[in-house]
Amino acid sequence: MKREFVIGSESYDVLLNKALGEYHLDVGDRQLAIQAEEIGSGEYFIYVDGRKQRAFVAVDDENTYIHMEGKAVTIQRIDPFEKIMGGDGADGSGSSLLAPMPGTVISVNCEPGQQVSEGDVLMVIESMKLETTVAAPREGIVEQVNFSAGDTFDQKALLVSLQAEEE
Amino acid sequence: MRRIVSNISTQSHEFKENQADMARVLNEFRQLQQKARYTRPERDMQRLNKQKKLFVRDRLELLLDPGTPFLEFSSLAAHYAYEGTVPGAAVVTGIGLVSGREVMVIAGDASVKGGAWYPLTVKKMVRALDIAIENRLPVIHICDSAGGFLPLQSGVFPDRFAAGRIFRNQVQLSKMNIPQIAIVCGHCTAGGAYVPALSDYNIIVRGTGAIFLGGPPLVKAATGEVVTVEALGGCDMHTTTSGTADYPADNEPQAFAIARDIAAQFRKPKKQVIETAPVEAPYYDPEELYGIIPMDRKTQYDVREVIARIVDGSRFHEYQPAYGKTLVCGYAHIWGYKVGILGNNGVLFNDSAKKAAHFIQLCNQNKTPLVFLQNITGYMVGRTYEEEGITKDGAKMLMAQGGSVVPKFTVIIGGSFGAGNYGMCGRAWDARVLFMWPKAEIGVMGAEQAANTLVDIKTRQMQKEGITLSEKDIEAIRTPIMESYERDLSAYYSTSELWDDGILDPADTRNALGMSIACSLNAQIDDQSYGVFRF
Amino acid sequence: MQKIKKVLIANRGEIALRILRTLKAAGIPGVVMYHRVDRGAPAVREAEETYLIEGETPVAAYLDIENILAACRTTGANAVHPGYGFLAENAPFAKALAEADVIFIGPTADVIELMGDKVSARKFVEARGFPVAPSAIEEDDPATFVERVAKVGFPVLIKPAAGGGGKGMRVVYDGANLAEEVERGRREGERYFADGRLFAERFIENPRHIEVQVFGDQHGNYVHFWERECSIQRRFQKIIEETPSPALSPEQRQEICTAAVGIAEAVGYQGAGTVEFIYAPTGEFYFLEMNTRLQVEHPVTEMVTGYDLVYEQLRVAAGEALNYTQADITQTGHSIECRICAEDADADFAPAIGKLLKVREPVGPGIRVDSGVIEGQDVTTAFDPMLSKLIVYARDRQQCITRTQQALRDYVLLGVTTNTAYLDKILSHSDFISGDVHTGFLAEQADVLKQNLSQDTLDFLLSAAALTDEQLCNAVAEIPELYAAMGHWRN
């Protein structure tokens, strides 16, 4: 079965197989013989082609967090089939302006129904002690404004959306 | 079980010669297969692209569980038919896994004549559905067809095993509680419309999928009504208004993901329990078969060398090793499944036929599936043997084999001639699957014997008229007969006509049999029962 | 210390817990006030007495002086420890407490006021002969401010007069956008500090940040606890601090520490304070600002001097005299502090959020963890991203670096992206090892400090991720063994 594992900006397609009692992981054109032995709560010995590493692993709905070789790495898990299932082509037209990172709204400079041109400032947000402007990616009509000044938001929150473009 | 001790020297001149010859043959086979699978006129591929439709091979990869095998049937069907313009008979069939379930996939290939149904297309689809029925395999139909190929409608439509049989088989599957999913990627017109309609679940792709008894041109001609494809039988109409289709999909990948999710809802089959052992790879490398199979089909060789390269651990328990030695019988495991194997080591004599009948009954009594490795020129002929009852003993073998309740699997590894074909479970004898190796041949008799017989008749005819034929004249008669016979006997001709389920690279035999046996166990094995044996 | 009956800890996170520990050891009852988002925090768990506060936002709750006064009334606390941040350097707060007859554990309100304003602090210090960098003060003549800034010389650093913690600071390299940058700086100052007044000074290229811990009592005694080097900063915020500074010769150390005590004495400083200096590569140092509170990085000083600075604060606040002299305070060994932050160093330090699914703190000789989080806790953007501090002590700097690195590697924090690996990377950098750093070091070395995964590590990571992916393993288990063994076989 396939997974897409995302580490930072890199994405890795892997295929896991269990045959004759052994797990195999296909990474690119290489196949690894792998095994995990849980030695404590969230603590594992991971074996890859006979070599061993100790790892702490924690899992939530979206990510796997692994502490290994002295550092923690966050791996986002994507089921390619589920990705396709949910794929309705949203955001293709650049209609949704998502928060690049968590932060606070400083000011809202547009309202639903307003006609805007490309580059117009729709919102000013503050993240990491820096002000950033959220500008219209294209000409259009503001559909939704989801936050008011002073509101905080999480990463990928939908800040402003524009009405879908007519075909 | 003891390991077979191979007498083959992989360093011998003979081995290397055989190997080189097989490499040539396999190379040719792979090229033909590659061409049948992927080579299409540029125009047809562009049309698919323009319609935003995926190529059938890509559809398969989207459907099947990643990293799992696909046992394709009859990849070279229609190889010699229709001037070679309908590669694979315009349909892909095979067994694969979808969400962990074994399924039969029947995928129309719209890159060949818009997926039109030729007589051999229908034959291949019906065969796939027969396999599904026999092995209780859920079926996933990938529908994308222009409809029956009208110029050949007489070969497509009227007969018992023509197109109607597709729908008849669908109904049978449904009655047997074997689920079917149809993924409508293109048009399903006329009869083709019943494929999704008779499936338990169907998915239709918005924009490209359509289901209707008559397309817009036919509707216009018949009633004068002008209507678009979408309005007449498109995704939204069928999923919201008519209820003919169940699941709308925005695009093909989504449609296949939905199909996978549906398959995940299928009840897991209760498999027939047979004897199994932990899986073990063959001790002898299956690829050594290339150097074992003689260059000349007529050269006799020990079938145990073949068995050693197919079965688990190359282990084989031979039954009656000293009796009826021209037929090797015994037990082995293939991918862990215990099977009874019958392999030819020469012509069938009285004792070998009786040994076969006995062994087949043992397997039936113990629910041990049977594997036939055919390399047979026939039963022995001649006065002595007739006096000893060779026909009667052959009949015993047929009665036992034909009356078997266990699943049977046949691989024609060499010759398949005359009544030997019958005894060793030829096509007419309901093997669950039947494969041929590329150098195998099938017919009433060999090309040489046939040519000789025919030349003999001709010579005597001429002699009656007072004409004596020169050596040259004889050759002139003989050569075309030989050539046409050789073609008709070849595995390629057999597979073109769907007399088998495909040509196999010998090294693939183990996997092909493994999957076939695994699937066969979806159907329970009845208690044994036979007709009347002539003693 | 009879004067102090009960202390309200008007803070949260690691510092609340750190103060609570000293109180417990000293036998002084402590009250931990908290907003409900912090109800799972370790300080709240460990406190014998807690007090729930409310506010429009969690931060607002901690900043609400009325909340704290009410807490003191309700709990009977007669002293407040403000920790750092929040109201620690808020003069009206100190005043309000004094009026309510509650002891503020910190300097007097007027000292906070004087030193809290960069402009007045600077004027004060300059007037008394301590070194300051060329500068321009907007207040002096707002009309000519931009011109005067240009005269200071480029590059110039513009910052809010009322600021701190790097908020609203900007470096301008030429005069082209000066007016615009000044305007932006003013807006940020207004927003963060409700005070748009600006201050500009010459930006010293590749400076070091060296600060001195000072202490004064109510009886006219002033000492220093030596310096701390805090040059390792990202976005103007310190993330690694150490003492002693590898940059200073004994003479320079003496000079800078003496200057700091002089400044403390000049303002009549009471309690713990820090005098920050800009230290130029050429050896000069300039007064930067004075922090009238306990610093985040105070533990490194505790490690090399052996004093509990919070305990000393309590004594001073209780009116007791320092019972040691400068000569008693020796600097022994080396200490490094790493600020463990919930942020992605490889994504421009974007703050990270999530639930801490696994926490395992490092242990070993010389290792101290001042943590504000425990396993199971949610990390949000409501507060500063700092989760904890790793403080390591060793006999010398070299050993201290390697010990810190090992501790960082042993520090398991899963569920939220943290900077432990980044800190480890910094400590491995040859310039850090040789002590050759400056406040722009991290920005300058950003490429070198990016994490990279070897093929081998990646193989292990992907394997671990795959084998602990329950859904994936279940799907794999659905594949009959025979098919799995055949793999992607095609005939």
Side-chain angles (χ1 to χ4, degrees):
Chain A
M1 287 285 117
K2 277 186 180 160
R3 272 286 181 281
E4 187 183 329
F5 287 137
V6 182
I7 305 176
S9 54
E10 298 288 322
S11 172
Y12 304 90
D13 291 317
V14 304
L15 192 147
L16 183 71
N17 230 331
K18 188 185 188 184
L20 311 179
E22 274 189 26
Y23 279 105
H24 293 276
L25 190 74
D26 287 5
V27 185
D29 50 6
R30 295 174 311 124
Q31 187 173 71
L32 312 170
I34 65 171
Q35 196 192 322
E37 181 190 345
E38 188 161 10
I39 50 173
S41 168
E43 188 179 354
Y44 297 83
F45 283 145
I46 303 292
Y47 299 86
V48 174
D49 289 340
R51 287 166 300 131
K52 185 173 95 172
Q53 280 283 356
R54 176 164 167 250
F56 294 92
V57 183
V59 175
D60 65 21
D61 284 349
E62 194 181 357
N63 298 315
T64 300
Y65 308 89
I66 303 171
H67 185 102
M68 190 189 271
E69 293 182 328
K71 59 183 160 194
V73 175
T74 301
I75 302 180
Q76 191 196 351
R77 306 186 306 273
I78 297 171
D79 180 334
F81 286 113
E82 276 182 20
K83 192 172 157 187
I84 295 168
M85 286 271 265
D88 54 1
D91 310 344
S93 57
S95 297
S96 305
L97 295 159
L98 304 181
M101 58 188 74
T104 314
V105 177
I106 299 305
S107 67
V108 176
N109 308 39
C110 64
E111 56 188 50
Q114 187 182 332
Q115 172 74 41
V116 293
S117 313
E118 186 181 329
D120 282 0
V121 175
L122 306 181
M123 199 179 262
V124 179
I125 57 171
E126 189 243 56
S127 285
M128 305 155 55
K129 303 180 181 179
L130 282 180
E131 264 186 40
T132 322
T133 55
V134 176
R138 59 169 171 86
E139 192 185 279
I141 293 167
V142 176
E143 186 175 66
Q144 260 182 298
V145 178
N146 291 333
F147 295 92
S148 317
D151 288 353
T152 57
F153 51 83
D154 283 340
Q155 188 175 15
K156 293 180 189 164
L158 177 63
L159 301 173
V160 180
S161 62
L162 300 181
Q163 283 178 14
E165 278 177 301
E166 307 251 325
E167 291 281 313
Chain B
M1 254 180 225
R2 274 183 305 173
R3 175 168 295 144
I4 292 171
V5 178
S6 176
N7 291 315
I8 297 292
S9 162
T10 56
Q11 300 309 312
S12 72
H13 175 68
E14 195 190 352
F15 185 92
K16 299 217 152 136
E17 249 184 8
N18 291 342
Q19 209 176 24
D21 190 55
M22 185 54 92
R24 178 188 59 75
V25 169
L26 282 179
N27 186 40
E28 186 192 30
F29 167 59
R30 289 296 181 201
Q31 276 181 10
L32 289 172
Q33 211 177 31
Q34 181 75 14
K35 198 162 154 257
R37 282 175 176 162
Y38 297 102
T39 306
R40 299 287 180 272
E42 185 65 28
R43 185 171 46 90
D44 292 327
M45 293 309 278
Q46 277 173 352
R47 197 183 54 230
L48 276 193
N49 229 328
K50 224 173 79 190
Q51 295 173 333
K52 287 186 183 165
K53 292 204 290 197
L54 296 176
F55 185 48
V56 63
R57 298 284 157 184
D58 299 325
R59 288 173 175 168
L60 287 178
E61 296 305 318
L62 281 172
L63 175 68
L64 299 170
D65 288 341
T68 62
F70 181 64
L71 176 60
E72 184 173 345
F73 295 121
S74 304
S75 55
L76 293 179
H79 173 63
Y80 281 119
Y82 323 122
E83 280 86 44
T85 59
V86 189
V91 62
V92 181
T93 64
I95 296 172
L97 285 189
V98 175
S99 297
R101 274 77 174 173
E102 290 160 333
V103 298
M104 172 64 75
V105 182
I106 301 176
D109 184 349
S111 68
V112 180
K113 313 274 180 192
W117 290 358
Y118 281 69
L120 287 172
T121 313
V122 171
K123 190 173 181 184
K124 190 169 169 180
M125 291 171 80
V126 169
R127 170 62 187 155
L129 288 163
D130 282 340
I131 294 174
I133 289 170
E134 275 192 309
N135 297 284
R136 297 191 64 90
L137 289 170
V139 179
I140 298 185
H141 306 268
I142 301 175
C143 308
D144 192 350
S145 168
F149 183 66
L150 290 178
L152 294 176
Q153 69 84 24
S154 65
V156 172
F157 180 67
D159 203 3
R160 183 168 177 214
F161 293 100
R165 195 75 180 183
I166 294 170
F167 317 121
R168 177 267 181 194
N169 276 357
Q170 283 194 272
V171 170
Q172 291 304 310
L173 282 163
S174 188
K175 270 174 63 122
M176 292 167 71
N177 189 14
I178 301 166
Q180 298 174 71
I181 303 172
I183 305 161
V184 181
C185 297
H187 288 192
C188 294
T189 318
Y194 290 115
V195 173
L198 290 169
S199 295
D200 300 318
Y201 303 91
N202 67 46
I203 302 147
I204 182 165
V205 180
R206 186 171 286 123
T208 50
I211 307 168
F212 28 56
L213 286 184
L218 191 130
V219 169
K220 189 170 178 219
T223 67
E225 187 186 8
V226 176
V227 61
T228 63
V229 167
E230 277 299 299
L232 185 62
C235 169
D236 291 318
M237 193 288 283
H238 278 314
T239 53
T240 63
T241 307
S242 76
T244 305
D246 304 319
Y247 302 85
D250 288 336
N251 49 53
E252 288 197 29
Q254 198 183 57
F256 288 100
I258 295 169
R260 291 180 50 77
D261 215 24
I262 294 169
Q265 314 309 317
F266 291 172
R267 255 193 339 201
K268 299 228 181 79
K270 285 199 174 53
K271 295 245 176 191
Q272 166 73 44
V273 177
I274 62 167
E275 294 289 302
T276 55
V279 175
E280 205 184 339
Y283 176 78
Y284 295 105
D285 184 351
E287 292 203 355
E288 285 173 7
L289 287 169
Y290 303 156
I292 291 167
I293 303 157
M295 281 173 71
D296 183 355
R297 206 228 350 112
K298 291 189 291 298
T299 310
Q300 184 66 47
Y301 69 105
D302 190 352
V303 74
R304 290 179 194 84
E305 299 290 356
V306 172
I307 294 169
R309 284 156 185 88
I310 291 177
V311 304
D312 288 11
S314 305
R315 293 175 201 282
F316 187 57
H317 171 94
E318 189 166 344
Y319 171 73
Q320 287 189 340
Y323 181 74
K325 288 163 91 167
T326 58
L327 182 70
V328 175
C329 296
Y331 301 113
H333 293 90
I334 296 178
W335 280 103
Y337 297 115
K338 188 173 180 189
V339 292
I341 297 177
L342 294 91
N344 303 112
N345 251 0
V347 80
L348 288 160
F349 290 96
N350 299 71
D351 52 358
S352 17
K354 285 188 278 190
K355 174 178 169 182
H358 194 101
F359 182 68
I360 289 168
Q361 290 186 65
L362 287 173
C363 289
N364 273 282
Q365 189 158 51
N366 294 295
K367 298 199 192 307
T368 306
L370 288 164
V371 172
F372 296 88
L373 300 175
Q374 279 199 21
N375 181 15
I376 181 68
T377 49
Y379 289 89
M380 194 62 202
V381 294
R383 183 172 163 187
T384 317
Y385 304 102
E386 292 294 356
E387 280 178 1
E388 282 175 14
I390 185 74
T391 305
K392 191 172 77 168
D393 290 339
K396 283 193 192 76
M397 184 171 169
L398 292 188
M399 194 60 80
Q401 185 270 103
S404 286
V405 291
V406 296
K408 298 176 287 188
F409 308 90
T410 302
V411 184
I412 302 176
I413 64 170
S416 176
F417 294 106
N421 166 286
Y422 307 152
M424 292 295 287
C425 195
R427 188 62 156 177
W429 299 83
D430 297 329
R432 294 290 175 95
V433 291
L434 185 149
F435 296 107
M436 290 185 89
W437 283 2
K439 288 188 188 180
E441 290 182 336
I442 182 165
V444 171
M445 59 180 84
E448 227 165 306
Q449 293 134 283
N452 287 344
T453 310
L454 289 170
V455 168
D456 197 45
I457 293 167
K458 190 84 180 168
T459 315
R460 270 186 281 155
Q461 226 172 31
M462 297 305 251
Q463 264 171 351
K464 273 184 202 158
E465 291 167 25
I467 304 163
T468 310
L469 292 170
S470 68
E471 274 298 307
K472 213 178 143 189
D473 292 336
I474 291 173
E475 256 335 281
I477 300 168
R478 211 179 129 83
T479 307
I481 296 174
M482 275 289 283
E483 275 173 7
S484 118
Y485 247 83
E486 267 169 14
R487 191 198 79 161
D488 291 359
L489 291 175
S490 74
Y492 289 107
Y493 194 76
S494 165
T495 216
S496 175
E497 291 297 310
L498 287 146
W499 299 338
D500 57 50
D501 296 310
I503 296 177
L504 276 186
D505 176 335
D508 282 339
T509 306
R510 175 177 163 78
N511 281 358
L513 286 174
M515 282 181 70
S516 303
I517 297 165
C519 289
S520 74
L521 301 175
N522 292 324
Q524 297 299 308
I525 298 172
D526 289 339
D527 290 334
Q528 62 173 352
S529 71
Y530 296 101
V532 178
F533 288 89
R534 180 176 297 276
F535 288 96
Chain C
M1 278 216 243
Q2 292 94 330
K3 261 183 82 180
I4 294 177
K5 306 276 182 251
K6 192 190 247 186
V7 176
L8 175 78
I9 302 168
N11 213 305
R12 58 176 298 283
E14 65 87 19
I15 194 63
L17 183 59
R18 190 256 166 275
I19 295 164
L20 181 68
R21 284 189 176 142
T22 290
L23 289 173
K24 281 188 167 181
I28 302 168
V31 181
V32 170
M33 63 172 223
Y34 69 101
H35 182 268
R36 64 184 158 74
V37 300
D38 277 331
R39 63 192 175 279
V44 179
R45 293 189 179 199
E46 287 192 24
E48 278 160 9
E49 191 173 353
T50 58
Y51 181 84
L52 182 68
I53 53 171
E54 280 169 7
E56 224 168 89
T57 64
V59 170
Y62 286 97
L63 284 171
D64 187 340
I65 295 174
E66 279 312 312
N67 269 345
I68 295 161
L69 291 173
C72 289
R73 283 194 299 273
T74 310
T75 62
N78 75 328
V80 169
H81 195 306
Y84 52 73
F86 295 124
L87 295 166
E89 291 169 286
N90 185 303
F93 175 56
K95 265 189 208 124
L97 288 181
E99 278 159 21
D101 217 11
V102 174
I103 299 168
F104 176 69
I105 300 172
T108 55
D110 42 324
V111 169
I112 295 174
E113 201 158 1
L114 173 65
M115 290 318 222
D117 184 322
K118 281 198 171 63
V119 179
S120 61
R122 188 191 155 84
K123 273 187 191 160
F124 177 88
V125 168
E126 192 175 14
R128 277 149 191 83
F130 295 104
V132 295
S135 66
I137 300 169
E138 184 172 26
E139 251 185 325
D140 292 351
D141 182 4
T144 60
F145 181 61
V146 173
E147 271 166 61
R148 284 182 294 119
V149 171
K151 273 195 202 123
V152 166
F154 294 99
V156 65
L157 180 69
I158 302 173
K159 48 188 177 181
K167 282 180 176 155
M169 285 206 222
R170 52 208 341 105
V171 177
V172 183
Y173 286 86
D174 58 55
N177 296 319
L178 187 58
E180 204 175 304
E181 293 289 343
V182 163
E183 189 45 45
R184 271 180 180 263
R186 184 172 293 130
R187 282 226 315 275
E188 287 181 28
E190 261 162 17
R191 208 168 59 242
Y192 291 118
F193 312 108
D195 184 345
R197 290 171 308 144
L198 293 177
F199 166 78
E201 71 183 354
R202 167 69 71 69
F203 181 68
I204 294 159
E205 299 254 31
N206 295 349
R208 304 178 79 112
H209 175 115
I210 295 177
E211 62 187 28
V212 178
Q213 177 72 53
V214 295
F215 240 92
D217 62 17
Q218 299 175 18
H219 310 282
N221 300 308
Y222 303 95
V223 292
H224 67 79
F225 283 80
W226 306 99
E227 85 288 9
R228 291 186 289 259
E229 158 118 32
C230 315
S231 300
I232 302 299
Q233 304 182 359
R234 55 116 181 81
R235 299 176 168 272
F236 299 113
Q237 289 182 312
K238 306 161 185 171
I239 52 169
I240 297 179
E241 301 98 341
E242 62 179 314
T243 183
S245 162
L248 299 180
S249 65
E251 295 73 33
Q252 287 171 316
R253 175 169 297 115
Q254 205 56 60
E255 199 185 337
I256 204 166
C257 290
T258 306
V261 180
I263 291 169
E265 187 165 3
V267 291
Y269 199 83
Q270 289 174 19
T274 296
V275 183
E276 297 187 339
F277 296 97
I278 294 255
Y279 184 84
T282 43
E284 308 87 73
F285 58 89
Y286 302 115
F287 171 78
L288 184 65
E289 61 176 320
M290 181 168 190
N291 293 323
T292 57
R293 56 170 154 90
L294 191 70
Q295 295 280 86
V296 174
E297 58 273 24
H298 75 276
V300 290
T301 300
E302 298 183 323
M303 300 298 262
V304 298
T305 61
Y307 286 83
D308 177 340
L309 295 182
V310 172
Y311 184 74
E312 296 309 318
Q313 283 185 298
L314 293 171
R315 288 189 55 242
V316 168
E320 293 180 22
L322 301 181
N323 56 359
Y324 40 84
T325 65
Q326 187 63 59
D328 295 325
I329 306 167
T330 54
Q331 204 179 21
T332 310
H334 199 93
S335 182
I336 293 175
E337 175 185 276
C338 291
R339 299 194 191 185
I340 313 297
C341 298
E343 64 188 20
D344 187 350
D346 285 337
D348 226 4
F349 306 99
I353 53 170
K355 195 185 202 63
L356 282 167
L357 301 170
K358 179 113 200 140
V359 176
R360 206 163 180 273
E361 291 177 358
V363 289
I367 292 170
R368 163 176 166 185
V369 178
D370 282 11
S371 175
V373 291
I374 45 175
E375 197 167 296
Q377 207 174 316
D378 280 317
V379 174
T380 66
T381 50
F383 302 106
D384 189 84
M386 192 177 84
L387 303 177
S388 72
K389 305 182 304 201
L390 168 68
I391 306 108
V392 176
Y393 176 80
R395 285 199 57 210
D396 59 45
R397 187 167 186 268
Q398 181 49 43
Q399 192 186 21
C400 194
I401 291 172
T402 55
R403 208 175 246 188
T404 307
Q405 285 183 288
Q406 191 52 47
L408 284 167
R409 291 168 197 169
D410 288 346
Y411 203 156
V412 179
L413 283 160
L414 295 180
V416 178
T417 304
T418 73
N419 61 344
T420 53
Y422 177 65
L423 293 164
D424 182 14
K425 200 104 185 175
I426 297 169
L427 294 174
S428 318
H429 196 291
S430 58
D431 289 351
F432 182 87
I433 293 168
S434 63
D436 185 15
V437 295
H438 53 86
T439 54
F441 175 72
L442 296 186
E444 177 193 286
Q445 300 292 319
D447 289 343
V448 181
L449 295 171
K450 284 240 180 293
Q451 293 299 319
N452 42 22
L453 297 170
S454 68
Q455 173 88 73
D456 198 55
T457 305
L458 196 59
D459 286 350
F460 274 102
L461 287 170
L462 296 175
S463 300
L467 293 172
T468 55
D469 185 336
E470 212 175 311
Q471 232 188 332
L472 179 63
C473 289
N474 287 343
V476 165
E478 288 274 288
I479 306 298
E481 188 159 53
L482 153 95
Y483 294 88
M486 285 182 199
H488 190 87
W489 173 77
R490 297 291 186 265
N491 61 311

